[in-house]
Amino acid sequence: MLHTEEKYISLLTDFGFKRIFGTKPNKSLLISFLNSLFDGEQVIKNVKYLNSEHVGDVFTERKAIFDVYCENEKGEKFIVEMQNAYQTFFKDRSLYYSTFPIREQAPKGDEWNFKLEHVYVVALLNFDMKEDAFDENSINHDVGLLDKKTHKVFNNKLTFKYVEIAKFSKKVDQLHTLYDKWLFILKNLSRLDSQPERLRNEVFNRLFKEAEIAQFNKAELKEYEDSLKAYRDIKNSLDSAEEKGFQRGIAEGKIQGIAEGKIQGIAEGKMQGIAEKAKSIATKLKQAGMPIKEIASITGLSIEEIQNS
């Protein structure tokens, strides 16, 4: 077993993220974070957790498993996802995920006027998405359905919020807004030795209590350490690739580095795929009994790729 030296869990791990944001006793933490993100655009008073696993139509039987899925007191749906590694069709995945809370609003057997409640997809990204449509100097990206000419909202029932937390660089003494504090915690919680004075209120006091590893029972500790080890394995693979000069695309005869999430390099004169390393890690985690959804979140591989590995 991996014995972690940190005092607090990492919210970048699947276990840590779901413990803080995906459990009923801690729903006040999720509400606080979402309200800080929406900053008055949306004020959430309460949430009800919904089934996070959804199955597609009978023909494909394609599944969607969300990190956190809930609805507020008005019936509006929220999907909240933590993504640690770039995925080739991540935007398509976000769009596909949004179809489940849209379709499930259709009543069975009754006439329906197609009125929908708002669906929000919140994607927390522990990497630079490098999306041409985004302002590269911004961390937050708000995507909706607009008329391309007038830029006016065509339909306000579907919203995507992408948050590149990897870009957040503020220190504790620079945290002034509630949102800044949440981003700092998301990125840095496991690096802290104690709860900073600036992060002391009823909400954050609960968070630090829930995140303290010393309070875990043996089963929780093992689950967290498995999740942490898997997270570190994939991050170490990605970091090694960067250190050795792997780059995206092929230019002037150079070997392709990072291309659509498939990371490749040179080792002893041969092309070595970091993607293969990710698959190897996925295989080991699957053999160890880790759920496929957690493996997909950690490695950036699709569920289908993991099932076939």
Side-chain angles (χ1 to χ4, degrees), residues 5-182:
E5 298 179 357
E6 289 85 2
K7 182 175 181 178
Y8 303 108
I9 57 175
S10 169
L11 298 189
L12 301 175
T13 63
D14 190 72
F15 175 91
F17 187 80
K18 291 178 180 176
R19 181 180 179 88
I20 296 302
F21 293 119
T23 57
K24 290 182 180 179
N26 292 331
K27 70 178 182 178
S28 62
L29 304 181
L30 177 64
I31 292 171
S32 174
F33 168 68
L34 290 176
N35 281 333
S36 75
L37 170 65
F38 286 98
D39 192 25
E41 170 194 348
Q42 167 73 254
V43 178
I44 300 168
K45 298 178 181 178
N46 194 17
V47 296
K48 177 176 71 174
Y49 287 99
L50 305 174
N51 181 16
S52 61
E53 182 170 344
H54 296 258
V55 180
D57 56 70
V58 176
F59 179 73
T60 63
E61 295 185 349
R62 185 70 63 189
K63 287 187 177 181
I65 306 175
F66 311 140
D67 286 341
V68 175
Y69 181 40
C70 64
E71 68 178 17
N72 66 4
E73 68 280 358
K74 295 182 287 187
E76 298 171 324
K77 315 290 184 180
F78 297 80
I79 297 171
V80 187
E81 287 276 305
M82 170 64 75
Q83 184 73 15
N84 276 306
Y86 179 81
Q87 200 172 52
T88 307
F89 298 107
F90 179 67
K91 290 188 294 183
D92 290 1
R93 173 183 163 184
S94 299
L95 184 60
Y96 176 67
Y97 273 19
S98 73
T99 64
F100 288 87
I102 291 174
R103 288 185 300 168
E104 74 178 15
Q105 295 185 49
K108 295 181 179 180
D110 298 323
E111 291 187 6
W112 181 43
N113 63 4
F114 292 93
K115 182 180 183 297
L116 295 170
E117 298 297 340
H118 205 132
V119 172
Y120 296 92
V121 179
V122 178
L124 307 177
L125 311 177
N126 189 26
F127 59 91
D128 185 344
M129 192 167 175
K130 299 186 184 301
E131 167 57 44
D132 290 340
F134 290 169
D135 177 355
E136 64 180 12
N137 296 316
S138 178
I139 292 176
N140 301 323
H141 310 286
D142 199 354
V143 179
L145 301 175
L146 307 177
D147 180 285
K148 289 183 178 180
K149 185 174 182 179
T150 65
H151 295 169
K152 292 183 178 180
V153 175
F154 170 71
N155 188 306
N156 69 347
K157 296 300 178 68
L158 180 59
T159 298
F160 298 88
K161 287 188 176 292
Y162 295 94
V163 183
E164 296 178 286
I165 59 175
K167 290 182 177 180
F168 187 79
S169 59
K170 290 184 179 181
K171 307 300 181 183
V172 172
D173 59 358
Q174 297 174 310
L175 306 178
H176 300 294
T177 68
L178 179 61
Y179 184 54
D180 279 349
K181 294 175 182 179
W182 269 114

